[in-house]
């Protein structure tokens, strides 16, 4: 009987408590038996460290067993009220560069299977995000702005239900009471910060507050949502924390945690909460110690103060000196960006002794990169319009992905106010133009010339056909061909002509290029095509063989015949070799020279569709197809730039094409040249 009453009392007083049985407190985590997965660990001084500086990783710490979240003793199953408070600290790897944040989470799983790091915070993945079946309730302390989840900023607190797009969120901070002003907090400052989360089942209201640790709980919530967790929660779930790192990383710490279903969570014992280490060797840390030093010096050592101030002044000047223009959209081109300070050091401050050239696009300096010691050429371009720079930078980024042994490799870029810097591999033997026209001795021999021609043809073919997108050079000429220490030729300045395009009014298309290399149709259509590049290449061929510029201007004489006309006239007289560069002193391979000269003429055909493609050009150069004599005979017409009415139909139709038809939407191909440029 007595035993019976005792058992009854036990039922009344202990069973309900036992049924919910969910109250616990950790004043530090030493000896706790949380279930840790991923990077999570308990440090020797009792901190729960969810992630360290390992990038693209996650860490989870959850209650070892499920906790009852619903009252099933009643009729339905209604979510219980709960209350929790914890202290956290986020210490980024570098000041202002960390990632990605920490979340308090209630989940059916203690290891959150399939969840991803970085913006997913170790909670979900792209396919599970937002699904009702997640039964996930989370409060995120997010330090990265993720556009796809509509994050408001890179320092916010949000309420997440089943997905990473917050139901409600707010910049981190607190209102001491409803009447008080908002005080902003920096989640990544590394300071111990306390969070209070309260869910009231009667009003189905979820409130979140944060405040610096040891401050009382703020009167007004930072962020709240009306959400009936009865529809979200399962009867029993795990409760804990998740954190993740992305490309940047932070140490995500929790130093104390109290949780309760039903009533208010027990207060943490402030004296027992371990402290969160600040990273000593961060720049911020150093600045702080500088500030302390200055304060001490103020007391007696004004001399020291002046010294420190002048150092600060120097730093400021220095920062100004190396200031760059960097916009949000540029972050995706990050890997291609080279710090201005490196470029400045490489060129010894753009010293005139390092100047190796200057042209239409600006000055070119030789330099040695400070870290890699790699020799580079830096092109310094001034641009006055902001307009179009974004498209241009995106093109630069794609240009630096172009890789071919006959293209000068673009290594990266940098931008300052009104200036753009392009960093290229350095070419020891400079431009072909200089060797052909400026240097007296030694001149290039025939073998070298032919190799240069083949190199340029290979580079141009790659631009036209070898890459995922068509690249038109628009300014093929000897001065845009550079030679490395082994006399291998590489094309430079590809894609650069576009800089002028982007900056200009699309209605006034102006032609980019150099007179003498400009295809005649450009003056009518204004549209550069692979055919107009082939025209420029034709002029280049004649230039290399004849050692003369395609147009030579003499004072007082405006009707000087171009190189194309000269070569074609000598060819008609049967004396094509008269045009070969005298610097070679007659020592050249006649068959090869004739082939190249004829090819130069065909490429310079006034009718774009009658020019061969670069693929065919290479086949001619390799001798795998022959230039038919009959076709050459039809080239008898005049090449005067003024008259393009010569009929080349015969030549075009008799042209034997072995290559298959390639489809390039840009070009209509009405001629018999199935594979014309
Ligand atoms: C760890 O948690 C389990 C489940 O809640 C419990 O049974 C066990 O006693 C705990 N162990 C320690 C050392 O606290
Ligand atoms: C981070 O922690 C993991 C697991 O505890 C460890 O293997 C790793 O070396 C740590 N990484 C760093 C950068 O400290
Ligand atoms: C559970 O539900 C019953 C009946 O609806 C109610 O009497 C009891 O107070 C509830 N318990 C909690 C912890 O809310
Ligand atoms: C995403 O998460 C779900 C649920 O945890 C898991 O079943 C699924 O395999 C994950 N998907 C991927 C692509 O990782
Ligand atoms: C978001 O939280 C704030 C602060 O508690 C509150 O004033 C606001 O009404 C909430 N917004 C929504 C949509 O719940
Ligand atoms: C919340 O949802 C549960 C189950 O759907 C329902 O019984 C309860 O009345 C709802 N609470 C409120 C305040 O609407």
């Amino acid at each position: 009987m007595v035993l019976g009453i005792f058992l009854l009392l036990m039922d009344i007083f202990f069973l309900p408590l036992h049924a919910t049985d969910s109250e616990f407190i950790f004043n530090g985590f030493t000896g706790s038996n949380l279930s840790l997965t991923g990077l999570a660990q308990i440090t020797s001084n009792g901190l729960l460290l969810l992630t360290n500086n390992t990038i693209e990783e996650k860490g989870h710490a959850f209650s070892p067993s499920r906790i009852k979240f619903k009252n099933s003793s009643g009729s339905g199953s209604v979510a219980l009220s709960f209350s929790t408070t914890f202290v956290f600290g986020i210490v980024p790897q570098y000041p202002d560069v960390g990632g990605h944040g920490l979340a308090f989470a209630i989940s059916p799983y203690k290891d959150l299977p399939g969840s991803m790091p970085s913006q997913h915070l170790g909670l979900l993945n792209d396919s599970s995000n937002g699904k009702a079946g997640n039964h996930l309730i989370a409060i995120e302390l997010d330090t990265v702005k993720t556009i796809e989840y509509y994050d408001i900023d890179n320092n916010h607190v949000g309420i997440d239900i089943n997905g990473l797009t917050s139901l409600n969120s707010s910049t981190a901070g607190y209102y001491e009471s409803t009447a008080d002003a908002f005080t902003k907090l920096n989640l990544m400052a590394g300071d111990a910060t306390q969070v209070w989360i309260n869910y009231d089942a009667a009003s189905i209201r979820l409130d979140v507050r944060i405040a610096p640790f040891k401050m009382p709980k703020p009167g007004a919530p930072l962020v709240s949502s009306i959400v009936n967790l009865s529809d979200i929660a399962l009867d029993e779930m795990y409760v804990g924390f998740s954190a993740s790192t992305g490309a940047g990383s932070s140490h995500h710490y929790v130093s104390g945690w109290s949780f309760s279903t039903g009533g208010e969570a027990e207060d943490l014992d402030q004296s027992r909460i371990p402290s969160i280490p600040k990273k000593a060797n961060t720049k911020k840390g150093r600045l702080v110690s500088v500030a302390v030093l200055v304060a001490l010096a103020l007391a007696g050592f004004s001399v020291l103060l002046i010294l420190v101030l002048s150092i600060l002044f120097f730093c400021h000047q220095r920062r100004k000196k190396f200031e760059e223009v960097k916009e949000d959209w540029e972050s995706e081109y990050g890997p291609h960006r080279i710090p201005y300070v490196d470029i400045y050091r490489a060129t010894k401050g753009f010293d005139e002794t390092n100047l190796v050239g200057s042209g239409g696009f600006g000055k070119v300096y030789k330099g040695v990169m400070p870290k890699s010691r790699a020799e580079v050429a830096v092109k310094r371009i001034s641009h006055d319009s902001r307009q179009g720079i974004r498209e241009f930078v995106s093109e630069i980024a794609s240009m630096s992905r172009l890789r071919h042994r006959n293209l000068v490799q673009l290594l990266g870029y940098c931008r300052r106010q009104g200036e753009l810097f392009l960093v290229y591999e350095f070419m020891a033997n400079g431009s072909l133009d200089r060797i052909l026209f400026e240097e007296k001795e030694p001149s290039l021999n025939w073998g070298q010339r032919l190799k240069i021609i083949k190199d340029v043809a290979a580079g141009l073919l790659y631009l036209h056909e070898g890459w995922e997108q068509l690249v038109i050079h628009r300014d093929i000429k000897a001065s845009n061909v550079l030679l490395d220490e082994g006399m291998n030729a590489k094309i430079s300045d590809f894609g650069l002509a576009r800089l002028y395009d982007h900056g200009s009014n699309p209605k006034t298309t102006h032609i980019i290029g150099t007179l003498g290399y400009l295809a005649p149709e450009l003056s009518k259509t204004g549209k550069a095509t692979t055919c107009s590049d082939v025209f420029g290449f034709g002029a280049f061929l004649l230039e290399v063989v004849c050692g003369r510029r395609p147009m030579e201007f003499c004072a007082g004489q405006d009707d000087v015949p171009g190189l194309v006309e000269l070569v074609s006239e000598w060819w008609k007289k049967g004396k094509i070799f008269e045009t070969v560069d005298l610097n070679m002193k007659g020592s050249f391979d006649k068959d090869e020279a004739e082939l190249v000269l004829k090819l130069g003429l065909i490429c310079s055909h006034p009718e774009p569709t009658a020019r061969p493609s670069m693929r065919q050009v290479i086949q001619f150069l390799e001798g795998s197809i022959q230039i038919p004599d009959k076709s050459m005979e039809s080239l008898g017409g005049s090449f005067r730039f003024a008259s393009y009415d010569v009929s080349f139909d015969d030549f075009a139709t008799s042209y034997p094409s072995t290559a298959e038809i390639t489809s390039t939407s840009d070009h209509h191909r009405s001629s018999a040249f199935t594979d014309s440029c």
Side-chain angles (χ1 to χ4, degrees), residues 619-659:
Q619 288 170 332
F620 287 136
L621 286 171
E622 284 168 352
S624 56
I625 46 176
Q626 301 280 313
I627 298 180
D629 286 344
K630 187 166 174 284
S631 309
M632 278 314 290
E633 277 157 25
S634 75
L635 268 173
S638 165
F639 272 99
R640 296 303 292 192
F641 278 77
S643 52
Y644 286 125
D645 46 358
V646 203
S647 163
F648 283 94
D649 288 352
D650 191 18
F651 166 62
T653 48
S654 66
Y655 195 81
S657 176
T658 49

Side-chain angles (χ1 to χ4, degrees), residues 71 73-74 80:
N71 181 358
S73 66
L80 299 171

Side-chain angles (χ1 to χ4, degrees), residues 16 20 71-75 80-81 262:
T20 54
N71 181 358
S72 43
S73 66
S75 49
L80 299 171
S81 298

Side-chain angles (χ1 to χ4, degrees), residues 21 26 31-34 63-66:
D21 191 25
F26 297 102
S32 66
N33 70 350
L34 293 178
S63 56
S65 52
R66 290 193 180 85

Side-chain angles (χ1 to χ4, degrees), residues 198-485:
N198 294 81
Y199 176 67
D200 179 50
S203 58
I204 56 165
R205 187 184 159 107
L206 185 62
D207 283 334
V208 183
R209 293 168 172 83
I210 69 171
F213 181 44
K214 295 189 178 166
M215 259 191 56
K217 179 176 176 179
L222 169 67
V223 51
S224 50
S225 283
I226 301 296
V227 51
N228 191 344
L229 295 187
S230 306
D231 307 331
I232 316 292
L234 297 179
D235 283 2
E236 293 187 327
M237 300 211 284
Y238 294 96
V239 51
F241 301 94
S242 174
S244 71
T245 61
S249 63
S250 300
H251 282 86
H252 293 100
Y253 292 104
V254 179
S255 55
W257 180 26
S258 169
F259 179 89
S260 166
T261 49
E264 186 78 12
E266 192 183 332
D267 283 342
L268 295 168
D269 181 349
Q270 294 184 355
S271 63
R272 289 170 58 200
I273 302 288
S275 59
I276 290 164
K278 286 230 177 192
K279 214 173 153 197
N281 60 343
T282 61
K283 269 188 204 145
K284 245 181 202 160
R286 251 182 272 136
L287 272 183
V288 167
S289 54
V290 167
V292 169
L293 271 182
V294 170
L296 283 177
L298 261 175
F301 309 105
S302 47
V303 178
L304 183 64
L305 176 69
I306 289 163
L307 193 72
V308 170
L309 280 179
S310 50
I311 287 171
L312 287 178
F313 177 74
F314 173 78
C315 288
H316 175 75
Q317 289 299 96
R318 195 186 124 87
R319 189 166 341 126
K320 237 177 116 173
K321 186 171 172 186
F322 295 122
E323 199 167 61
E324 299 174 18
V325 178
K326 206 173 207 167
E327 291 172 66
D328 281 351
W329 55 262
E330 278 182 82
S331 59
E332 65 180 286
Y333 310 119
H336 305 293
R337 192 134 179 156
I338 296 179
Y340 177 66
V341 55
D342 287 0
I343 295 177
Y344 187 89
R345 291 221 181 101
T347 56
K348 299 200 170 70
F350 298 98
D351 195 286
E352 288 299 304
T353 58
N354 286 343
L355 189 66
V356 290
S358 58
F361 291 106
K363 291 183 170 174
V364 183
Y365 296 85
K366 181 185 175 173
V368 178
M369 291 309 279
K371 285 174 208 117
S372 62
R373 312 303 303 161
E375 283 193 320
V376 294
V378 177
K379 199 171 281 258
R380 184 182 200 178
I381 302 167
S382 50
H383 65 88
D384 31 45
S385 71
R386 261 190 48 80
Q387 196 199 353
I389 196 74
R390 183 171 183 165
E391 291 86 337
F392 184 67
V393 167
S394 101
E395 243 157 58
I396 296 284
S398 60
M399 290 302 151
S400 56
R401 279 163 48 223
L402 280 172
R403 262 161 227 277
H404 189 271
R405 74 195 139 75
N406 300 117
L407 297 181
V408 178
Q409 183 64 44
L410 176 61
L411 304 172
Y413 81 102
C414 181
R415 225 151 64 74
R416 299 186 80 204
Q417 197 63 52
E419 278 185 313
L420 183 69
F421 302 88
L422 300 179
V423 180
Y424 291 94
E425 63 173 315
F426 182 73
M427 300 290 286
N429 277 314
S431 91
L432 174 62
D433 180 78
R434 197 176 54 93
I435 296 179
L436 276 181
F437 303 116
E438 283 169 31
E439 264 177 32
K440 306 279 175 288
E441 300 274 344
S443 160
L444 292 169
N445 65 33
W446 175 249
Q448 288 171 316
R449 290 181 201 228
L450 189 63
K451 176 167 187 319
I452 289 168
I453 286 169
K454 287 181 175 173
D455 283 350
V456 173
L460 197 52
L461 174 65
Y462 178 73
L463 290 178
H464 285 183
E465 297 183 21
W467 200 50
E468 61 202 46
Q469 74 196 50
L470 171 73
V471 180
I472 311 243
H473 187 289
R474 302 203 200 192
D475 203 8
I476 289 287
K477 57 178 175 180
S479 58
N480 279 337
V481 170
L482 304 183
L483 300 167
D484 69 8
E485 67 284 348

